[in-house]
Amino acid sequence: MTKYFLLGLMCLSASAVATATTDASITLANHCPPGFELTQQNSCKLHSLYDQYNSLYNRGVGGLKTALPTRRDGFSPQQIDLGRHLFFDPILSGDKSLSCASCHHPQLGFADGLPRSIGIHGREATRAAPSLWNMAFLTRFFWDARASSLEEQMQGPLYSDVEMGNNPGQLLTDLNANADYRRLFAEAFPEQAQTITLDQIYLAIAAFETSLVSLNSRYDHYAHGFHGALNQTEQEGLNIFRSFVARCAECHTPPLFTNQQVAVIGVAEPDGRPFDTGAETIFNNPTWRGGFKVPSLRNIARTAPYMHSGTFDSLRDATEFYTLGRGHALTEAQNKNMVLHWHIWEPKLTDDELDLLVTFMETLTDESFTPAIPAQVPSGLPPVGQLPPALQQTITFEEGNSDE
C-alpha cells in the first residue's frame, strides 16, 4: 500500500515566524530510539549484533562477521528528540523556507533525490546531498572529507549562501525568541545556562543524526547466520561483490560498506560542468585530485542519483562505470593529472554479473528505524514533510512513519 508524502519549499517572513504558535505543548521523549538502551545516567547506548564480533577484517576484506568501528552515542533521549525537532524545523534557514530535512528527507534515504541539492532562493549546490544513515560510525564528513565531526559539518549548510543561508546571530536570535525552544533546550541541557547557545544547537542535531542507524537489512540477517535471508541470486551477487575480480568490498567494506577513505575513481562531471577537484583542494594533496570520500552503500537503492554530482541516474549505470576501464570517462588531459585508485581497473564483468551486483546491493536496504517526522515543531512553521498541499510538490512513497 502506498500513500502520498508531501515535500516542498515555502517562504515565511521573520515576523510571521515570531507570531506563529503551536497547537499544543511539545514535549521531549524520555525514552531512547529503537536499538538504544536507556542507562541509569539517562544516556542512550546503541546495541547491535555486530557487538559480538571483535575483528574489523574477519576472513579477509568483506567477511561477514566483522565488527563495527567505534561509534558515537551516549546522548540523552531529550537531546536526541530536541535534535529531531530542530532537524525538521524551517526556522533554521535564513528565510524560514528550508530545514535539514529539505536535503536529507527520511523518505528519500535521508538524501533528496536530486543530482545537486537546491538551497535557499532556488540556488543549486555544487554536489549531491549524501545520505545520513549510520553517521554515528563515521569520522569524516562531506564528499571532500573536510569536516571531522557532525558539529563541524552542519555549520557548512547552515551558513552557506547556496544552502540554508543563515548566520549564527540570526539563528540564536530566532531560537532564543521562541518560548517553546527555550523550554525544550532547558530540558535537554538542564545543567547549562538557560540561554540557547550555538554549541547546544549543534550537539542536539548531532545527537539526532547519530540515532539514524541502519543495520537490520536482509544482508545483516544473512551475515549473522540466517542464510535463508538471501536467495541464491543475491548470494551470487554477494560473492561477486567480495571477489578479488570485482573488489567492491575493498572500498565498500562491510558492515558499514565504506572504508571511510578518499578515493580517486575518475568520474566525469555531468552536463559539461567544471571539473570538481574534490579533496585535493581541501588537503592540498595533488594525488587526491578529483578524489571523494567513499560513500556507504547502506540504503543505496533509495538514494539515486549517484556519485558526488549525480552523474548516474541508476544503480546499474553506477555499477557499470567500474568495469568500463581506467579513466574511460575523462579527457586525455584530465587523465594525465589524476592518480586513479589502483582498484579502478578493468574487471570485465559481464552484464549478468553487473545485474547480480545490483541485486545484492538492494539487500542493504533497511529503514526500520526511520524516525517519525514531527507533527509540529516549536517554531509553528509546518515541518518539512508535513507542509500544506498548496505549498508542496506531491511525491508518492511507500507507507512510512508519522508521529503518533
Side-chain angles (χ1 to χ4, degrees):
M1 179 179 179
T2 61
K3 70 177 181 180
Y4 288 104
F5 277 78
L6 302 171
L7 175 63
L9 306 179
M10 76 172 194
C11 294
L12 291 178
S13 67
S15 60
V17 175
T19 58
T21 59
T22 56
D23 294 332
S25 179
I26 295 174
T27 59
L28 297 180
N30 58 10
H31 55 82
C32 295
F36 289 80
E37 173 197 7
L38 181 62
T39 70
Q40 292 183 346
Q41 292 74 39
N42 194 43
S43 65
C44 296
K45 181 176 177 58
L46 178 64
H47 292 287
S48 164
L49 286 177
Y50 286 102
D51 294 344
Q52 64 188 306
Y53 312 132
N54 57 16
S55 172
L56 294 176
Y57 299 102
N58 184 50
R59 298 183 181 178
V61 175
L64 299 181
K65 291 178 170 53
T66 54
L68 287 161
T70 301
R71 57 179 169 256
R72 189 176 179 192
D73 59 10
F75 299 102
S76 73
Q78 293 78 18
Q79 291 169 345
I80 294 171
D81 204 33
L82 173 60
R84 181 175 70 102
H85 284 86
L86 287 166
F87 188 89
F88 290 98
D89 197 334
I91 197 174
L92 265 62
S93 62
D95 66 354
K96 314 303 178 285
S97 69
L98 302 166
S99 76
C100 303
S102 297
C103 293
H104 301 284
H105 197 280
Q107 296 300 329
L108 295 170
F110 279 99
D112 60 11
L114 299 174
R116 290 163 298 280
S117 296
I118 302 299
I120 194 168
H121 309 312
R123 296 169 181 165
E124 185 180 68
T126 57
R127 295 171 185 157
S131 172
L132 298 184
W133 284 111
N134 293 330
M135 291 291 102
F137 302 97
L138 302 187
T139 56
R140 305 297 304 185
F141 304 91
F142 289 115
W143 278 103
D144 55 20
R146 66 182 181 271
S148 59
S149 70
L150 283 168
E151 288 88 339
E152 179 185 359
Q153 180 277 326
M154 70 184 65
Q155 295 176 60
L158 272 175
Y159 306 135
S160 167
D161 291 339
V162 298
E163 296 187 62
M164 298 180 77
N166 212 334
N167 63 73
Q170 179 178 332
L171 179 59
L172 287 174
T173 296
D174 288 342
L175 292 182
N176 277 294
N178 183 291
D180 277 339
Y181 266 126
R182 291 199 307 274
R183 172 177 58 82
L184 296 176
F185 269 86
E187 183 179 347
F189 300 96
E191 298 179 359
Q192 299 184 21
Q194 298 309 297
T195 299
I196 298 171
T197 68
L198 291 173
D199 286 343
Q200 291 173 341
I201 298 168
Y202 304 152
L203 189 144
I205 298 174
F208 170 68
E209 290 178 334
T210 59
S211 75
L212 305 178
V213 177
S214 178
L215 295 171
N216 195 34
S217 68
R218 289 195 294 117
Y219 162 81
D220 297 299
H221 298 175
Y222 181 86
H224 295 314
F226 176 43
H227 289 178
L230 301 185
N231 62 35
Q232 181 177 346
T233 300
E234 292 161 344
Q235 291 180 36
E236 290 174 2
L238 170 59
N239 289 335
I240 296 170
F241 187 90
R242 295 183 57 191
S243 71
F244 191 71
V245 176
R247 312 181 83 142
C248 308
E250 297 190 31
C251 288
H252 297 284
T253 310
L256 284 187
F257 287 88
T258 173
N259 61 6
Q260 305 200 54
Q261 298 177 9
V262 170
V264 181
I265 64 174
V267 176
E269 297 297 322
D271 308 322
R273 296 172 64 85
F275 182 75
D276 191 335
T277 59
E280 176 195 31
T281 302
I282 302 301
F283 295 94
N284 193 27
N285 182 350
T287 68
W288 279 357
R289 177 174 173 77
F292 298 94
K293 190 162 63 75
V294 175
S296 171
L297 299 183
R298 292 281 179 172
N299 293 309
I300 192 69
R302 302 290 200 198
T303 57
Y306 301 103
M307 305 298 180
H308 66 276
S309 55
T311 304
F312 301 113
D313 291 330
S314 73
L315 188 53
R316 176 60 162 74
D317 290 343
T319 305
E320 184 183 41
F321 167 83
Y322 292 93
T323 198
L324 295 179
R326 286 180 64 84
H328 71 274
L330 304 175
T331 66
E332 184 177 350
Q334 288 171 335
N335 270 317
K336 287 182 179 179
N337 296 319
M338 188 171 290
V339 183
L340 292 176
H341 194 287
W342 68 283
H343 288 170
I344 303 302
W345 61 313
E346 298 183 29
K348 296 183 172 61
L349 300 178
T350 66
D351 287 344
D352 287 344
E353 288 171 327
L354 292 173
D355 290 338
L356 288 169
L357 281 173
V358 172
T359 298
F360 164 68
M361 286 187 283
E362 290 171 346
T363 72
L364 301 176
T365 301
D366 164 40
E367 298 174 307
S368 55
F369 288 172
T370 299
I373 299 170
Q376 57 184 3
V377 288
S379 69
L381 296 168
V384 170
Q386 300 285 349
L387 299 182
L391 297 172
Q392 305 163 36
Q393 296 175 339
T394 301
I395 303 175
T396 302
F397 293 112
E398 294 182 359
E399 189 77 27
N401 292 321
S402 62
D403 244 3
E404 298 78 18

